[in-house]
Amino acid sequence: MPWPPLGRADRRSVFSQLWQLPLFILSIGLFIYAGYLFINPGPGATIDQKIAVAQNYLNQDRPDAALQQLSRILETEKPQQAPEGQIHLLIAQALEAAQKQQKIDVPANHARIIEQTELALQYGVKADAALHMRVADSYAALNRPAEAAEHYRQAIAMDGTHSLSLYRKLIDLELASDDPANADVTLGEYLKLPGLTDAERAWALDQRAGILIDLKKFADARKLLADAARLDTDPVDQGTFNYQLGYCSYREGLPDDAERYLRLARDQLRVSHPLDADAAFYLGKIFEERNDPATANSFYESILTTHPESKPAPLALLGRGVCRIMLQQTDPGLNDFHELIAQIDRRPSRAKYKPECIASFQQAAGILSDRQDFQSALEVMSYEQELNPSPPPGFYSQLGGMYAKRADQLEGTIPDANPTEKIRRGQQVVDLRNKAAGAYILYSRMLTLLDDHGYADALWKGVDLYDKAGNLQAAIASLELFVREMPSDRMAPMRYCVWAGPIRRRGSSTRQSTRFSETS
């Protein structure tokens, strides 16, 4: 039976679906071609092309993308020596660019910059001025000034066009690392460079003046500062010259002149200038030495508030602690000392402040002792010993006396205490006298070869304090040590009998002392 003829609508429906067939055939073809490319993809980008991509990222100020590209090359490729050296050099450049872009200064990144640069050199990359500058900056950031200075000098030798800026970096580094001798030599080289402007020459003269002031060559320093002031009339730069004149006057022992120059310098520099902190510090020292701790403290406070990371900030914290103790604000003052000790522990670069700290701690301990605040004085002395674990002999004499005074002071409060507190304070008195005795015995040991009379005197004080503390075993042991070490002392046998006899008799009622007597 024949099919019925299609109507016009039916024919339109059939033809409307015919376009799907060629599309289906095309899709099959594309799928087959993609499989072929997967099996045989053909030649890819070369290492040089991939490195060029990373270089392009750097040129576009995209260091993170460059680092990712370079890391991928090292992970997936096996480059030959020359390309690998270039890769390590670009990694160092990208790390530097990333830090600048993100405004960070991470020590680990600086260490990687140095490491990657050294690898690049090992693979044959030729060093240029930019390479040495980058490595020098990283060494400087890691507080390794000697290595940084070496690379700055190599950069100067290679790049005459940037020698002025490099010289200034090198000079700042040498001054910051307390290397005035080399800084003076570098300043001399800088002043001989052609094309210096008056302002640049004035800056160098100002820096040399600071070195001369520390060498106590005050007249020479003043001459340089006068020359600098004539060359550069900028108000801010005039402030730096006035600061140096104030510092010079302070070092000369002319506090009134120093105050005038330093106040003027602060007015000219304003708070935003780094030297404002230095000027405030010496103003604080002037008023502290005038026995005006309140005014001195105001200057130290301004440094700690507005310049907390400045060079004089640790000494300002120290000065504030001393001034607070002078103002009888003992607990805040001790807190300042404690914080300063913690800073020195955390940041080895601040160990250079130890001599100033020790001198101030001794001053504070004296103030507290005169005020009969022996407990606080002992705390300050513990800070001193923390900074100097091997102090001179006199420290232990002072320490023994301080423990003994505190023991006597505390003993005087026992009668007014309740029964429980009496027991606690009584034990504290015993502990304090044992510590006092130990300090005197240690002092005597340190005088063994220096002062026979002082040795014996310190020993007897220690023995007497052991006796008062009821520590009979330690007292007799100290006496026997004296007899062994000083057999030539004609008084040794007599002293031993005078002290040891009564001590043994008093201790015979205790089991510990009886045992010691039987074995002695």
Side-chain angles (χ1 to χ4, degrees):
M1 180 178 179
W3 291 100
L6 295 173
R8 181 179 298 177
D10 294 331
R11 288 197 298 270
R12 189 184 301 117
S13 175
V14 170
F15 287 118
S16 68
Q17 297 178 10
L18 290 177
W19 66 269
Q20 297 181 16
L21 180 60
L23 181 61
F24 175 73
I25 296 171
L26 177 63
S27 299
I28 294 295
L30 288 175
F31 178 77
I32 294 170
Y33 182 66
Y36 169 75
L37 290 178
F38 179 78
I39 297 170
N40 185 17
T46 66
I47 289 180
D48 288 341
Q49 290 171 333
K50 293 179 180 180
I51 292 174
V53 171
Q55 181 68 70
N56 191 45
Y57 283 144
L58 274 177
N59 295 339
Q60 295 173 0
D61 199 21
R62 298 171 62 190
D64 290 336
L67 282 170
Q68 185 179 31
Q69 172 74 358
L70 294 164
S71 298
R72 186 180 295 122
I73 295 171
L74 289 176
E75 290 171 2
T76 61
E77 305 285 349
K78 293 183 179 180
Q80 296 178 353
Q81 182 165 325
E84 183 159 356
Q86 182 67 14
I87 291 168
H88 290 297
L89 180 63
L90 288 173
I91 289 175
Q93 293 175 358
L95 286 167
E96 179 189 42
Q99 291 220 120
K100 289 180 179 179
Q101 185 183 72
Q102 298 172 32
K103 297 179 180 180
I104 57 176
D105 193 25
V106 180
N109 286 339
H110 288 295
R112 283 192 67 199
I113 289 171
I114 295 169
E115 176 191 27
Q116 292 297 319
T117 304
E118 289 175 347
L119 287 171
L121 293 172
Q122 289 174 18
Y123 282 108
V125 170
K126 187 177 179 181
D128 57 11
L131 179 148
H132 285 296
M133 280 191 289
R134 186 181 309 111
V135 174
D137 289 343
S138 287
Y139 273 125
L142 293 173
N143 195 30
R144 295 171 63 177
E147 293 95 331
E150 178 186 349
H151 284 279
Y152 279 132
R153 288 198 172 277
Q154 292 186 62
I156 289 169
M158 291 181 169
D159 187 357
T161 59
H162 295 91
S163 59
L164 281 174
S165 62
L166 289 172
Y167 264 113
R168 289 189 68 147
K169 275 192 170 187
L170 177 57
I171 291 164
D172 288 338
L173 172 75
E174 290 170 336
L175 289 172
S177 57
D178 295 323
D179 187 4
N182 281 325
D184 192 46
V185 171
T186 309
L187 281 164
E189 296 171 2
Y190 178 87
L191 286 166
K192 293 176 183 177
L193 294 173
L196 286 178
T197 65
D198 287 346
E200 289 168 336
R201 190 172 298 278
W203 172 83
L205 294 174
D206 175 70
Q207 300 304 310
R208 281 197 109 170
I211 294 171
L212 291 173
I213 292 168
D214 288 333
L215 294 174
K216 298 185 178 180
K217 297 180 179 179
F218 303 120
D220 293 338
R222 288 181 183 279
K223 182 178 182 305
L224 290 182
L225 289 169
D227 292 341
R230 283 193 296 271
L231 289 169
D232 186 356
T233 57
D234 180 83
V236 175
D237 292 337
Q238 288 284 321
T240 66
F241 307 147
N242 281 318
Y243 162 75
Q244 292 282 36
L245 288 168
Y247 176 55
C248 184
S249 297
Y250 177 79
R251 292 294 304 272
E252 281 186 279
L254 303 170
D256 293 339
D257 290 346
E259 181 188 355
R260 186 178 73 255
Y261 281 121
L262 292 170
R263 285 188 182 277
L264 177 58
R266 292 197 78 197
D267 289 340
Q268 293 170 318
L269 295 170
R270 304 296 182 183
V271 174
S272 59
H273 198 284
L275 277 180
D276 176 70
D278 298 80
F281 174 73
Y282 286 108
L283 284 167
K285 291 295 291 182
I286 289 168
F287 282 96
E288 183 182 338
E289 291 163 6
R290 287 176 180 169
N291 201 29
D292 184 354
T295 304
N297 206 28
S298 67
F299 288 109
Y300 295 142
E301 286 276 7
S302 70
I303 297 168
L304 296 169
T305 302
T306 59
H307 303 280
E309 294 300 319
S310 64
K311 186 176 179 179
L315 294 180
L317 183 61
L318 178 67
R320 187 177 73 175
V322 172
C323 287
R324 283 175 162 178
I325 285 174
M326 292 170 71
L327 292 166
Q328 299 193 30
Q329 299 171 6
T330 304
D331 286 342
L334 294 177
N335 287 338
D336 284 342
F337 291 163
H338 180 78
E339 171 59 24
L340 184 55
I341 294 290
Q343 288 184 17
I344 292 174
D345 285 342
R346 290 194 306 266
R347 302 169 70 170
S349 61
R350 295 195 170 180
K352 61 186 176 183
Y353 299 118
K354 285 184 179 182
E356 291 93 335
C357 291
I358 289 172
S360 294
F361 290 167
Q362 291 170 348
Q363 177 190 356
I367 293 170
L368 292 166
S369 179
D370 292 341
R371 205 180 290 160
Q372 297 196 358
D373 187 354
F374 302 120
Q375 185 61 39
S376 297
L378 284 167
E379 184 173 342
V380 175
M381 292 189 74
S382 73
Y383 293 147
E384 179 183 348
Q385 192 170 16
E386 193 169 340
L387 291 181
N388 184 13
S390 301
F395 173 84
Y396 292 102
S397 175
Q398 183 184 0
L399 183 64
M402 202 72 72
Y403 274 126
K405 289 175 183 177
R406 175 57 182 157
D408 292 342
Q409 184 183 59
L410 189 60
E411 189 176 47
T413 67
I414 291 178
D416 298 329
N418 60 54
T420 302
E421 188 64 18
K422 283 182 179 179
I423 295 172
R424 191 181 70 84
R425 292 184 188 180
Q427 185 57 51
Q428 287 180 325
V429 170
V430 170
D431 292 341
L432 287 165
R433 283 181 175 148
N434 274 316
K435 290 178 179 177
Y440 275 121
I441 296 299
L442 183 55
Y443 176 50
S444 72
R445 299 281 299 157
M446 298 177 78
L447 295 180
T448 302
L449 301 177
L450 303 175
D451 181 359
D452 288 350
H453 177 74
Y455 165 82
D457 184 58
L459 179 75
W460 305 132
K461 287 181 180 177
V463 170
D464 183 50
L465 285 161
Y466 275 138
D467 184 29
K468 286 183 178 180
N471 192 345
L472 310 182
Q473 183 173 355
I476 295 173
S478 300
L479 286 167
E480 290 178 337
L481 180 64
F482 172 72
V483 172
R484 287 198 302 271
E485 290 191 342
M486 303 291 287
S488 59
D489 188 330
R490 293 178 300 171
M491 298 297 291
M494 183 188 306
R495 286 171 170 168
Y496 178 77
C497 293
V498 168
W499 283 86
I503 288 174
R504 287 181 186 275
R505 287 194 295 273
R506 283 199 302 276
S508 62
S509 60
T510 67
R511 294 171 60 187
Q512 180 182 9
S513 299
T514 301
R515 285 201 306 273
F516 182 79
S517 298
E518 290 171 352
T519 57
S520 298

